[in-house]
Amino acid sequence: MTIIDGKKVSEEIQGEIAAEVQKLKAAGKKIPHLAAILVGNDGASETYVGGKVKACERVGFRSTLVRLPDTVSESELLKKISDLNKDKDIDGFIVQLPLPKHISEQKVIETIAPEKDVDGFHPANVGRMALNLPTYLPATPYGILQLIERYKIETAGKTCVVIGRSHIVGSPMSILMARNTYPGNCTVTLTHSKTKNLKEICFSADILIVALGKAEFLTADYVKQGAAVIDVGITRVKSDKTKTGWKLLGDVKYDEVAPKCSFISHVPGGVGPMTITSLLLNSLKASKKEVY
Ligand code: NAD
């Protein structure tokens, strides 16, 4: 059994990105510049955006954080997005979700110029992903593909079961694993809360990608001997064993599932660290105009 170490892979890739930035600098070329819009001061969003800004600094990117109050109107936010769309100095940007209820997230996503949409949420980029055209892949699925590649997990002809059909994880993951490329070429089943016989379906999987957001949901009886299991779930639970008083759990009951697996990712330290790295990869692509 091999543990998929997302922290290590993430550090490796960030090192490669940093080396590329140094080369761009030495050649007098433009340094990638990522912007983030943060609306309001929700604690979790602050942490996520802070992590993204820090990662930019680590690899030598420029970053700009645009803070707007949670009372900002939808039209003011859309105007700010249009400004960033036009700003030649900004290669790509993200709008941290969720947004206050009076703002339509869909409108916001559709206002971001597809060529600057480094989160890969714009319908044009989702369409390009489905057609296997160059695009910005959504960060978490992109991170999972990187892990599969770096660990050389075989995918062609394999049976892949994805649990969860969200727009940010499960649904794109199912499309990507079915593409005629590596990683891909799997026979994919996308499962969700209305799926019948989930256990039976999961038991047929060579590769199981678990993203439903229920702590330790997937027990050993769902898993075939020798399967590769990728745990996307993150649930914060109280713990009297940590200094902070809480800990993170994945969707997989790790201790009983791991002995059956060929590969398994742990929470924390598996898929999580890859998400920001994928955003950096997308931003580098944007600055090098590799997609549009
Ligand atoms: P979501 O709530 O949007 O979607 C959950 C999906 O799971 C839904 O499609 C639902 O149909 C399905 N589901 C719920 N109960 C089910 C059941 N009993 N059986 C089968 N399917 C069921 O969640 P999401 O945004 O896709 O996130 C999923 C998990 O991944 C969460 O824990 C989230 O925190 C985590 N996540 C982690 C990262 C990361 O960077 N590691 C990124 C995004 C999300």
Side-chain angles (χ1 to χ4, degrees):
M1 186 264 294
T2 302
I3 298 171
I4 298 173
D5 187 343
K7 192 163 174 283
K8 185 174 128 241
V9 173
S10 171
E11 282 165 8
E12 263 167 37
I13 297 177
Q14 290 194 20
E16 291 160 16
I17 298 172
E20 202 157 338
V21 174
Q22 284 310 316
K23 272 192 211 152
L24 291 172
K25 262 190 197 160
K29 293 194 176 144
K30 186 177 180 304
I31 304 303
H33 187 175
L34 174 70
I37 300 181
L38 177 60
V39 179
N41 39 23
D42 170 73
S45 294
E46 290 264 0
T47 308
Y48 292 140
V49 169
K52 289 168 191 177
V53 169
K54 265 197 212 128
C56 282
E57 285 166 6
R58 242 186 344 260
V59 299
F61 285 5
R62 290 170 60 210
S63 67
T64 297
L65 176 57
V66 180
R67 282 177 176 276
L68 297 171
D70 57 8
T71 51
V72 71
S73 69
E74 185 179 276
S75 59
E76 284 168 317
L77 175 57
L78 297 182
K79 166 78 175 62
K80 188 71 219 172
I81 292 172
S82 303
D83 292 345
L84 291 180
N85 284 341
K86 285 181 223 134
D87 186 338
K88 289 205 165 55
D89 198 44
I90 304 282
D91 298 298
F93 65 96
I94 59 155
V95 179
Q96 185 63 44
L97 302 177
L99 292 168
K101 289 210 165 45
H102 64 278
I103 298 174
S104 155
E105 288 189 356
Q106 197 53 33
K107 238 187 227 175
V108 163
I109 288 169
E110 291 187 29
T111 304
I112 300 173
E115 64 273 19
K116 294 198 178 185
D117 165 43
V118 285
D119 260 341
F121 293 159
H122 191 285
N125 286 324
V126 178
R128 291 171 74 91
M129 171 186 68
L131 295 169
N132 204 6
L133 294 169
T135 189
Y136 304 115
L137 297 178
T140 303
Y142 190 13
I144 294 170
L145 293 186
Q146 299 283 324
L147 290 176
I148 291 175
E149 255 188 272
R150 299 261 166 163
Y151 279 88
K152 300 188 171 58
I153 299 174
E154 274 181 51
T155 60
K158 303 289 181 192
T159 300
C160 173
V161 174
V162 180
I163 310 183
R165 59 177 159 190
S166 73
H167 290 166
I168 61 163
V169 189
S171 173
M173 206 61 240
S174 69
I175 294 171
L176 293 163
M177 293 305 282
R179 294 192 306 181
N180 184 6
T181 183
Y182 178 76
N185 277 314
C186 286
T187 304
V188 179
T189 305
L190 178 61
T191 67
H192 46 77
S193 54
K194 300 282 188 294
T195 298
K196 297 217 164 80
N197 308 329
L198 184 66
K199 204 177 270 188
E200 218 172 276
I201 296 168
C202 288
F203 203 79
S204 73
D206 301 308
I207 301 169
L208 246 172
I209 301 173
V210 194
L212 74 161
K214 293 197 169 142
E216 299 191 322
F217 174 89
L218 196 97
T219 44
D221 49 342
Y222 281 74
V223 182
K224 178 168 84 175
Q225 189 69 39
V229 174
I230 296 177
D231 189 354
V232 188
I234 305 176
T235 306
R236 218 167 117 135
V237 294
K238 282 195 178 143
S239 166
D240 50 18
K241 291 199 181 100
T242 63
K243 260 195 218 156
T244 53
W246 52 267
K247 63 174 180 176
L248 299 180
L249 285 180
D251 286 348
V252 176
K253 199 154 192 180
Y254 184 85
D255 289 345
E256 65 174 61
V257 170
K260 293 183 93 175
C261 295
S262 52
F263 295 88
I264 186 164
S265 72
H266 187 259
V267 176
V271 173
M274 294 299 293
T275 301
I276 289 182
T277 298
S278 304
L279 178 68
L280 297 175
L281 284 170
N282 277 342
S283 304
L284 186 62
K285 279 186 188 174
S287 115
K288 288 161 76 185
K289 307 262 179 289
E290 279 179 4
V291 175
Y292 288 91

